[in-house]
PDB file of all heavy atoms in Angstrom:
ATOM      1  N   SER B  43     -44.702   7.115  -1.789  1.00 97.00           N
ATOM      2  CA  SER B  43     -44.271   8.056  -2.838  1.00 97.00           C
ATOM      3  C   SER B  43     -43.712   9.323  -2.213  1.00 97.00           C
ATOM      4  O   SER B  43     -44.350   9.924  -1.341  1.00 97.00           O
ATOM      5  CB  SER B  43     -45.456   8.443  -3.727  1.00 97.00           C
ATOM      6  OG  SER B  43     -45.805   7.372  -4.561  1.00 97.00           O
ATOM      7  N   TYR B  44     -42.550   9.716  -2.693  1.00 98.00           N
ATOM      8  CA  TYR B  44     -41.904  10.941  -2.228  1.00 98.00           C
ATOM      9  C   TYR B  44     -41.606  11.790  -3.455  1.00 98.00           C
ATOM     10  O   TYR B  44     -40.985  11.317  -4.407  1.00 98.00           O
ATOM     11  CB  TYR B  44     -40.606  10.591  -1.495  1.00 98.00           C
ATOM     12  CG  TYR B  44     -39.804  11.784  -1.050  1.00 98.00           C
ATOM     13  CD1 TYR B  44     -40.241  12.585   0.004  1.00 98.00           C
ATOM     14  CD2 TYR B  44     -38.611  12.125  -1.680  1.00 98.00           C
ATOM     15  CE1 TYR B  44     -39.510  13.676   0.426  1.00 98.00           C
ATOM     16  CE2 TYR B  44     -37.867  13.219  -1.268  1.00 98.00           C
ATOM     17  CZ  TYR B  44     -38.322  13.992  -0.214  1.00 98.00           C
ATOM     18  OH  TYR B  44     -37.596  15.080   0.195  1.00 98.00           O
ATOM     19  N   SER B  45     -42.065  13.031  -3.441  1.00 98.00           N
ATOM     20  CA  SER B  45     -41.897  13.906  -4.603  1.00 98.00           C
ATOM     21  C   SER B  45     -40.827  14.941  -4.327  1.00 98.00           C
ATOM     22  O   SER B  45     -40.681  15.422  -3.196  1.00 98.00           O
ATOM     23  CB  SER B  45     -43.204  14.589  -4.959  1.00 98.00           C
ATOM     24  OG  SER B  45     -44.152  13.633  -5.346  1.00 98.00           O
ATOM     25  N   ARG B  46     -40.134  15.299  -5.376  1.00 97.00           N
ATOM     26  CA  ARG B  46     -38.949  16.145  -5.209  1.00 97.00           C
ATOM     27  C   ARG B  46     -38.743  16.933  -6.491  1.00 97.00           C
ATOM     28  O   ARG B  46     -39.121  16.475  -7.579  1.00 97.00           O
ATOM     29  CB  ARG B  46     -37.771  15.197  -4.960  1.00 97.00           C
ATOM     30  CG  ARG B  46     -36.415  15.808  -4.672  1.00 97.00           C
ATOM     31  CD  ARG B  46     -36.409  16.657  -3.417  1.00 97.00           C
ATOM     32  NE  ARG B  46     -35.066  16.693  -2.842  1.00 97.00           N
ATOM     33  CZ  ARG B  46     -34.051  17.403  -3.326  1.00 97.00           C
ATOM     34  NH1 ARG B  46     -34.180  18.127  -4.427  1.00 97.00           N
ATOM     35  NH2 ARG B  46     -32.882  17.386  -2.695  1.00 97.00           N
ATOM     36  N   GLN B  47     -38.125  18.104  -6.356  1.00 97.00           N
ATOM     37  CA  GLN B  47     -37.758  18.872  -7.539  1.00 97.00           C
ATOM     38  C   GLN B  47     -36.245  19.065  -7.524  1.00 97.00           C
ATOM     39  O   GLN B  47     -35.651  19.284  -6.465  1.00 97.00           O
ATOM     40  CB  GLN B  47     -38.472  20.227  -7.528  1.00 97.00           C
ATOM     41  CG  GLN B  47     -38.341  20.949  -8.861  1.00 97.00           C
ATOM     42  CD  GLN B  47     -38.984  22.334  -8.836  1.00 97.00           C
ATOM     43  OE1 GLN B  47     -39.072  22.962  -7.788  1.00 97.00           O
ATOM     44  NE2 GLN B  47     -39.407  22.803  -9.997  1.00 97.00           N
ATOM     45  N   VAL B  48     -35.622  18.982  -8.679  1.00 97.00           N
ATOM     46  CA  VAL B  48     -34.160  19.094  -8.775  1.00 97.00           C
ATOM     47  C   VAL B  48     -33.710  20.520  -8.468  1.00 97.00           C
ATOM     48  O   VAL B  48     -34.253  21.491  -9.006  1.00 97.00           O
ATOM     49  CB  VAL B  48     -33.671  18.701 -10.184  1.00 97.00           C
ATOM     50  CG1 VAL B  48     -32.177  19.000 -10.353  1.00 97.00           C
ATOM     51  CG2 VAL B  48     -33.951  17.230 -10.451  1.00 97.00           C
ATOM     52  N   LYS B  49     -32.704  20.644  -7.598  1.00 97.00           N
ATOM     53  CA  LYS B  49     -32.118  21.931  -7.254  1.00 97.00           C
ATOM     54  C   LYS B  49     -30.921  22.219  -8.152  1.00 97.00           C
ATOM     55  O   LYS B  49     -30.232  21.301  -8.598  1.00 97.00           O
ATOM     56  CB  LYS B  49     -31.666  21.930  -5.788  1.00 97.00           C
ATOM     57  CG  LYS B  49     -32.729  21.499  -4.800  1.00 97.00           C
ATOM     58  CD  LYS B  49     -33.969  22.360  -4.871  1.00 97.00           C
ATOM     59  CE  LYS B  49     -35.046  21.878  -3.917  1.00 97.00           C
ATOM     60  NZ  LYS B  49     -36.354  22.467  -4.240  1.00 97.00           N
ATOM     61  N   PHE B  50     -30.645  23.499  -8.324  1.00 96.00           N
ATOM     62  CA  PHE B  50     -29.536  23.927  -9.189  1.00 96.00           C
ATOM     63  C   PHE B  50     -28.207  23.302  -8.761  1.00 96.00           C
ATOM     64  O   PHE B  50     -27.445  22.808  -9.592  1.00 96.00           O
ATOM     65  CB  PHE B  50     -29.430  25.452  -9.137  1.00 96.00           C
ATOM     66  CG  PHE B  50     -28.523  26.055 -10.171  1.00 96.00           C
ATOM     67  CD1 PHE B  50     -29.016  26.433 -11.410  1.00 96.00           C
ATOM     68  CD2 PHE B  50     -27.181  26.258  -9.915  1.00 96.00           C
ATOM     69  CE1 PHE B  50     -28.189  27.001 -12.373  1.00 96.00           C
ATOM     70  CE2 PHE B  50     -26.344  26.815 -10.866  1.00 96.00           C
ATOM     71  CZ  PHE B  50     -26.850  27.188 -12.102  1.00 96.00           C
ATOM     72  N   TYR B  51     -27.943  23.319  -7.454  1.00 97.00           N
ATOM     73  CA  TYR B  51     -26.633  22.858  -6.954  1.00 97.00           C
ATOM     74  C   TYR B  51     -26.497  21.340  -7.054  1.00 97.00           C
ATOM     75  O   TYR B  51     -25.435  20.810  -6.746  1.00 97.00           O
ATOM     76  CB  TYR B  51     -26.395  23.320  -5.519  1.00 97.00           C
ATOM     77  CG  TYR B  51     -27.439  22.874  -4.526  1.00 97.00           C
ATOM     78  CD1 TYR B  51     -27.423  21.586  -4.000  1.00 97.00           C
ATOM     79  CD2 TYR B  51     -28.455  23.725  -4.117  1.00 97.00           C
ATOM     80  CE1 TYR B  51     -28.381  21.171  -3.095  1.00 97.00           C
ATOM     81  CE2 TYR B  51     -29.420  23.320  -3.211  1.00 97.00           C
ATOM     82  CZ  TYR B  51     -29.371  22.051  -2.706  1.00 97.00           C
ATOM     83  OH  TYR B  51     -30.332  21.634  -1.819  1.00 97.00           O
ATOM     84  N   GLU B  52     -27.552  20.653  -7.455  1.00 98.00           N
ATOM     85  CA  GLU B  52     -27.467  19.197  -7.627  1.00 98.00           C
ATOM     86  C   GLU B  52     -27.038  18.814  -9.032  1.00 98.00           C
ATOM     87  O   GLU B  52     -26.785  17.637  -9.304  1.00 98.00           O
ATOM     88  CB  GLU B  52     -28.812  18.560  -7.278  1.00 98.00           C
ATOM     89  CG  GLU B  52     -29.139  18.714  -5.792  1.00 98.00           C
ATOM     90  CD  GLU B  52     -30.575  18.421  -5.421  1.00 98.00           C
ATOM     91  OE1 GLU B  52     -31.431  18.331  -6.324  1.00 98.00           O
ATOM     92  OE2 GLU B  52     -30.844  18.317  -4.209  1.00 98.00           O
ATOM     93  N   THR B  53     -26.956  19.800  -9.930  1.00 96.00           N
ATOM     94  CA  THR B  53     -26.529  19.516 -11.302  1.00 96.00           C
ATOM     95  C   THR B  53     -25.002  19.622 -11.392  1.00 96.00           C
ATOM     96  O   THR B  53     -24.349  20.193 -10.520  1.00 96.00           O
ATOM     97  CB  THR B  53     -27.153  20.522 -12.289  1.00 96.00           C
ATOM     98  OG1 THR B  53     -26.681  21.849 -11.973  1.00 96.00           O
ATOM     99  CG2 THR B  53     -28.669  20.498 -12.219  1.00 96.00           C
ATOM    100  N   ASP B  54     -24.454  19.060 -12.476  1.00 94.00           N
ATOM    101  CA  ASP B  54     -23.016  19.169 -12.723  1.00 94.00           C
ATOM    102  C   ASP B  54     -22.787  19.733 -14.113  1.00 94.00           C
ATOM    103  O   ASP B  54     -23.737  20.103 -14.805  1.00 94.00           O
ATOM    104  CB  ASP B  54     -22.325  17.818 -12.523  1.00 94.00           C
ATOM    105  CG  ASP B  54     -22.833  16.747 -13.497  1.00 94.00           C
ATOM    106  OD1 ASP B  54     -23.229  17.097 -14.633  1.00 94.00           O
ATOM    107  OD2 ASP B  54     -22.819  15.568 -13.122  1.00 94.00           O
ATOM    108  N   LEU B  55     -21.541  19.826 -14.526  1.00 91.00           N
ATOM    109  CA  LEU B  55     -21.212  20.494 -15.793  1.00 91.00           C
ATOM    110  C   LEU B  55     -21.818  19.783 -17.002  1.00 91.00           C
ATOM    111  O   LEU B  55     -21.875  20.371 -18.094  1.00 91.00           O
ATOM    112  CB  LEU B  55     -19.700  20.660 -15.935  1.00 91.00           C
ATOM    113  CG  LEU B  55     -18.817  19.402 -16.040  1.00 91.00           C
ATOM    114  CD1 LEU B  55     -18.785  18.866 -17.468  1.00 91.00           C
ATOM    115  CD2 LEU B  55     -17.394  19.787 -15.645  1.00 91.00           C
ATOM    116  N   ALA B  56     -22.252  18.535 -16.840  1.00 89.00           N
ATOM    117  CA  ALA B  56     -22.924  17.855 -17.946  1.00 89.00           C
ATOM    118  C   ALA B  56     -24.379  18.317 -18.068  1.00 89.00           C
ATOM    119  O   ALA B  56     -25.087  17.885 -18.983  1.00 89.00           O
ATOM    120  CB  ALA B  56     -22.859  16.339 -17.756  1.00 89.00           C
ATOM    121  N   GLY B  57     -24.830  19.173 -17.157  1.00 89.00           N
ATOM    122  CA  GLY B  57     -26.171  19.745 -17.251  1.00 89.00           C
ATOM    123  C   GLY B  57     -27.243  18.881 -16.621  1.00 89.00           C
ATOM    124  O   GLY B  57     -28.432  19.175 -16.727  1.00 89.00           O
ATOM    125  N   VAL B  58     -26.814  17.817 -15.942  1.00 93.00           N
ATOM    126  CA  VAL B  58     -27.769  16.878 -15.336  1.00 93.00           C
ATOM    127  C   VAL B  58     -27.447  16.699 -13.854  1.00 93.00           C
ATOM    128  O   VAL B  58     -26.397  17.119 -13.380  1.00 93.00           O
ATOM    129  CB  VAL B  58     -27.731  15.509 -16.053  1.00 93.00           C
ATOM    130  CG1 VAL B  58     -28.116  15.678 -17.530  1.00 93.00           C
ATOM    131  CG2 VAL B  58     -26.346  14.870 -15.927  1.00 93.00           C
ATOM    132  N   VAL B  59     -28.346  16.053 -13.130  1.00 97.00           N
ATOM    133  CA  VAL B  59     -28.096  15.782 -11.708  1.00 97.00           C
ATOM    134  C   VAL B  59     -26.871  14.871 -11.570  1.00 97.00           C
ATOM    135  O   VAL B  59     -26.778  13.843 -12.254  1.00 97.00           O
ATOM    136  CB  VAL B  59     -29.325  15.123 -11.055  1.00 97.00           C
ATOM    137  CG1 VAL B  59     -28.992  14.604  -9.648  1.00 97.00           C
ATOM    138  CG2 VAL B  59     -30.471  16.120 -10.994  1.00 97.00           C
ATOM    139  N   HIS B  60     -25.961  15.256 -10.680  1.00 97.00           N
ATOM    140  CA  HIS B  60     -24.773  14.424 -10.450  1.00 97.00           C
ATOM    141  C   HIS B  60     -25.198  13.075  -9.875  1.00 97.00           C
ATOM    142  O   HIS B  60     -26.065  13.010  -9.007  1.00 97.00           O
ATOM    143  CB  HIS B  60     -23.811  15.120  -9.486  1.00 97.00           C
ATOM    144  CG  HIS B  60     -22.495  14.437  -9.412  1.00 97.00           C
ATOM    145  ND1 HIS B  60     -22.175  13.545  -8.423  1.00 97.00           N
ATOM    146  CD2 HIS B  60     -21.420  14.484 -10.237  1.00 97.00           C
ATOM    147  CE1 HIS B  60     -20.950  13.086  -8.629  1.00 97.00           C
ATOM    148  NE2 HIS B  60     -20.470  13.641  -9.725  1.00 97.00           N
ATOM    149  N   PHE B  61     -24.558  12.027 -10.339  1.00 97.00           N
ATOM    150  CA  PHE B  61     -25.008  10.671  -9.982  1.00 97.00           C
ATOM    151  C   PHE B  61     -24.983  10.406  -8.479  1.00 97.00           C
ATOM    152  O   PHE B  61     -25.760   9.591  -7.978  1.00 97.00           O
ATOM    153  CB  PHE B  61     -24.180   9.624 -10.736  1.00 97.00           C
ATOM    154  CG  PHE B  61     -22.842   9.301 -10.121  1.00 97.00           C
ATOM    155  CD1 PHE B  61     -22.655   8.118  -9.436  1.00 97.00           C
ATOM    156  CD2 PHE B  61     -21.776  10.172 -10.227  1.00 97.00           C
ATOM    157  CE1 PHE B  61     -21.428   7.803  -8.866  1.00 97.00           C
ATOM    158  CE2 PHE B  61     -20.543   9.870  -9.662  1.00 97.00           C
ATOM    159  CZ  PHE B  61     -20.364   8.683  -8.975  1.00 97.00           C
ATOM    160  N   SER B  62     -24.113  11.091  -7.734  1.00 98.00           N
ATOM    161  CA  SER B  62     -24.043  10.864  -6.284  1.00 98.00           C
ATOM    162  C   SER B  62     -25.303  11.351  -5.570  1.00 98.00           C
ATOM    163  O   SER B  62     -25.637  10.853  -4.490  1.00 98.00           O
ATOM    164  CB  SER B  62     -22.820  11.571  -5.694  1.00 98.00           C
ATOM    165  OG  SER B  62     -22.919  12.978  -5.857  1.00 98.00           O
ATOM    166  N   ASN B  63     -25.990  12.327  -6.171  1.00 98.00           N
ATOM    167  CA  ASN B  63     -27.158  12.888  -5.495  1.00 98.00           C
ATOM    168  C   ASN B  63     -28.347  11.933  -5.454  1.00 98.00           C
ATOM    169  O   ASN B  63     -29.239  12.087  -4.612  1.00 98.00           O
ATOM    170  CB  ASN B  63     -27.554  14.215  -6.144  1.00 98.00           C
ATOM    171  CG  ASN B  63     -26.524  15.298  -5.863  1.00 98.00           C
ATOM    172  OD1 ASN B  63     -25.965  15.363  -4.773  1.00 98.00           O
ATOM    173  ND2 ASN B  63     -26.241  16.129  -6.857  1.00 98.00           N
ATOM    174  N   TYR B  64     -28.356  10.938  -6.342  1.00 98.00           N
ATOM    175  CA  TYR B  64     -29.441   9.951  -6.289  1.00 98.00           C
ATOM    176  C   TYR B  64     -29.421   9.195  -4.971  1.00 98.00           C
ATOM    177  O   TYR B  64     -30.474   8.768  -4.484  1.00 98.00           O
ATOM    178  CB  TYR B  64     -29.322   8.966  -7.461  1.00 98.00           C
ATOM    179  CG  TYR B  64     -29.626   9.600  -8.794  1.00 98.00           C
ATOM    180  CD1 TYR B  64     -28.734  10.490  -9.395  1.00 98.00           C
ATOM    181  CD2 TYR B  64     -30.816   9.343  -9.470  1.00 98.00           C
ATOM    182  CE1 TYR B  64     -29.018  11.084 -10.619  1.00 98.00           C
ATOM    183  CE2 TYR B  64     -31.104   9.930 -10.690  1.00 98.00           C
ATOM    184  CZ  TYR B  64     -30.202  10.807 -11.254  1.00 98.00           C
ATOM    185  OH  TYR B  64     -30.482  11.406 -12.465  1.00 98.00           O
ATOM    186  N   PHE B  65     -28.239   9.053  -4.388  1.00 98.00           N
ATOM    187  CA  PHE B  65     -28.130   8.387  -3.084  1.00 98.00           C
ATOM    188  C   PHE B  65     -28.694   9.279  -1.979  1.00 98.00           C
ATOM    189  O   PHE B  65     -29.298   8.798  -1.024  1.00 98.00           O
ATOM    190  CB  PHE B  65     -26.683   7.965  -2.838  1.00 98.00           C
ATOM    191  CG  PHE B  65     -26.244   6.904  -3.817  1.00 98.00           C
ATOM    192  CD1 PHE B  65     -25.638   7.243  -5.025  1.00 98.00           C
ATOM    193  CD2 PHE B  65     -26.510   5.573  -3.564  1.00 98.00           C
ATOM    194  CE1 PHE B  65     -25.292   6.264  -5.950  1.00 98.00           C
ATOM    195  CE2 PHE B  65     -26.170   4.585  -4.479  1.00 98.00           C
ATOM    196  CZ  PHE B  65     -25.554   4.937  -5.678  1.00 98.00           C
ATOM    197  N   ARG B  66     -28.521  10.589  -2.145  1.00 98.00           N
ATOM    198  CA  ARG B  66     -29.125  11.525  -1.194  1.00 98.00           C
ATOM    199  C   ARG B  66     -30.646  11.540  -1.353  1.00 98.00           C
ATOM    200  O   ARG B  66     -31.388  11.576  -0.370  1.00 98.00           O
ATOM    201  CB  ARG B  66     -28.520  12.923  -1.388  1.00 98.00           C
ATOM    202  CG  ARG B  66     -27.014  12.897  -1.141  1.00 98.00           C
ATOM    203  CD  ARG B  66     -26.353  14.248  -1.255  1.00 98.00           C
ATOM    204  NE  ARG B  66     -24.965  14.118  -0.818  1.00 98.00           N
ATOM    205  CZ  ARG B  66     -24.133  15.109  -0.565  1.00 98.00           C
ATOM    206  NH1 ARG B  66     -24.558  16.361  -0.720  1.00 98.00           N
ATOM    207  NH2 ARG B  66     -22.911  14.884  -0.167  1.00 98.00           N
ATOM    208  N   TYR B  67     -31.105  11.461  -2.600  1.00 98.00           N
ATOM    209  CA  TYR B  67     -32.555  11.417  -2.829  1.00 98.00           C
ATOM    210  C   TYR B  67     -33.149  10.157  -2.184  1.00 98.00           C
ATOM    211  O   TYR B  67     -34.234  10.209  -1.593  1.00 98.00           O
ATOM    212  CB  TYR B  67     -32.858  11.394  -4.326  1.00 98.00           C
ATOM    213  CG  TYR B  67     -32.498  12.642  -5.102  1.00 98.00           C
ATOM    214  CD1 TYR B  67     -32.255  12.576  -6.482  1.00 98.00           C
ATOM    215  CD2 TYR B  67     -32.421  13.898  -4.507  1.00 98.00           C
ATOM    216  CE1 TYR B  67     -31.959  13.708  -7.234  1.00 98.00           C
ATOM    217  CE2 TYR B  67     -32.118  15.028  -5.253  1.00 98.00           C
ATOM    218  CZ  TYR B  67     -31.886  14.933  -6.621  1.00 98.00           C
ATOM    219  OH  TYR B  67     -31.589  16.045  -7.363  1.00 98.00           O
ATOM    220  N   MET B  68     -32.472   9.033  -2.331  1.00 98.00           N
ATOM    221  CA  MET B  68     -32.997   7.794  -1.731  1.00 98.00           C
ATOM    222  C   MET B  68     -33.094   7.943  -0.218  1.00 98.00           C
ATOM    223  O   MET B  68     -34.092   7.562   0.393  1.00 98.00           O
ATOM    224  CB  MET B  68     -32.125   6.592  -2.106  1.00 98.00           C
ATOM    225  CG  MET B  68     -32.294   6.150  -3.560  1.00 98.00           C
ATOM    226  SD  MET B  68     -31.573   4.513  -3.908  1.00 98.00           S
ATOM    227  CE  MET B  68     -29.810   4.899  -3.995  1.00 98.00           C
ATOM    228  N   GLU B  69     -32.066   8.522   0.380  1.00 97.00           N
ATOM    229  CA  GLU B  69     -32.099   8.720   1.831  1.00 97.00           C
ATOM    230  C   GLU B  69     -33.223   9.677   2.235  1.00 97.00           C
ATOM    231  O   GLU B  69     -33.901   9.466   3.251  1.00 97.00           O
ATOM    232  CB  GLU B  69     -30.751   9.252   2.310  1.00 97.00           C
ATOM    233  CG  GLU B  69     -30.648   9.304   3.821  1.00 97.00           C
ATOM    234  CD  GLU B  69     -29.390  10.012   4.284  1.00 97.00           C
ATOM    235  OE1 GLU B  69     -29.207  11.220   3.972  1.00 97.00           O
ATOM    236  OE2 GLU B  69     -28.579   9.371   4.946  1.00 97.00           O
ATOM    237  N   GLU B  70     -33.420  10.730   1.460  1.00 98.00           N
ATOM    238  CA  GLU B  70     -34.534  11.645   1.743  1.00 98.00           C
ATOM    239  C   GLU B  70     -35.860  10.911   1.741  1.00 98.00           C
ATOM    240  O   GLU B  70     -36.710  11.117   2.618  1.00 98.00           O
ATOM    241  CB  GLU B  70     -34.610  12.745   0.674  1.00 98.00           C
ATOM    242  CG  GLU B  70     -33.678  13.888   0.863  1.00 98.00           C
ATOM    243  CD  GLU B  70     -33.997  15.024  -0.111  1.00 98.00           C
ATOM    244  OE1 GLU B  70     -35.195  15.266  -0.400  1.00 98.00           O
ATOM    245  OE2 GLU B  70     -33.045  15.651  -0.583  1.00 98.00           O
ATOM    246  N   ALA B  71     -36.038  10.064   0.725  1.00 98.00           N
ATOM    247  CA  ALA B  71     -37.295   9.310   0.616  1.00 98.00           C
ATOM    248  C   ALA B  71     -37.436   8.348   1.797  1.00 98.00           C
ATOM    249  O   ALA B  71     -38.529   8.197   2.357  1.00 98.00           O
ATOM    250  CB  ALA B  71     -37.336   8.552  -0.713  1.00 98.00           C
ATOM    251  N   GLU B  72     -36.322   7.721   2.178  1.00 97.00           N
ATOM    252  CA  GLU B  72     -36.328   6.820   3.336  1.00 97.00           C
ATOM    253  C   GLU B  72     -36.783   7.578   4.591  1.00 97.00           C
ATOM    254  O   GLU B  72     -37.659   7.124   5.325  1.00 97.00           O
ATOM    255  CB  GLU B  72     -34.920   6.255   3.549  1.00 97.00           C
ATOM    256  CG  GLU B  72     -34.761   5.427   4.819  1.00 97.00           C
ATOM    257  CD  GLU B  72     -33.295   5.292   5.247  1.00 97.00           C
ATOM    258  OE1 GLU B  72     -32.436   5.987   4.661  1.00 97.00           O
ATOM    259  OE2 GLU B  72     -33.023   4.506   6.177  1.00 97.00           O
ATOM    260  N   HIS B  73     -36.190   8.742   4.821  1.00 96.00           N
ATOM    261  CA  HIS B  73     -36.505   9.480   6.044  1.00 96.00           C
ATOM    262  C   HIS B  73     -37.928  10.036   6.016  1.00 96.00           C
ATOM    263  O   HIS B  73     -38.580  10.130   7.058  1.00 96.00           O
ATOM    264  CB  HIS B  73     -35.473  10.585   6.268  1.00 96.00           C
ATOM    265  CG  HIS B  73     -34.111  10.059   6.596  1.00 96.00           C
ATOM    266  ND1 HIS B  73     -32.989  10.838   6.648  1.00 96.00           N
ATOM    267  CD2 HIS B  73     -33.690   8.799   6.894  1.00 96.00           C
ATOM    268  CE1 HIS B  73     -31.937  10.081   6.956  1.00 96.00           C
ATOM    269  NE2 HIS B  73     -32.342   8.848   7.102  1.00 96.00           N
TER     270      HIS B  73
END
Side-chain angles (χ1 to χ4, degrees):
Chain B
S43 287
Y44 176 72
S45 296
R46 183 61 153 75
Q47 191 183 28
V48 172
K49 308 302 178 196
F50 191 90
Y51 58 80
E52 293 166 347
T53 63
D54 62 31
L55 64 82
V58 299
V59 170
H60 190 263
F61 82 105
S62 63
N63 291 322
Y64 290 73
F65 294 91
R66 299 182 172 192
Y67 294 156
M68 287 193 283
E69 188 188 61
E70 278 190 37
E72 173 200 9
H73 292 170

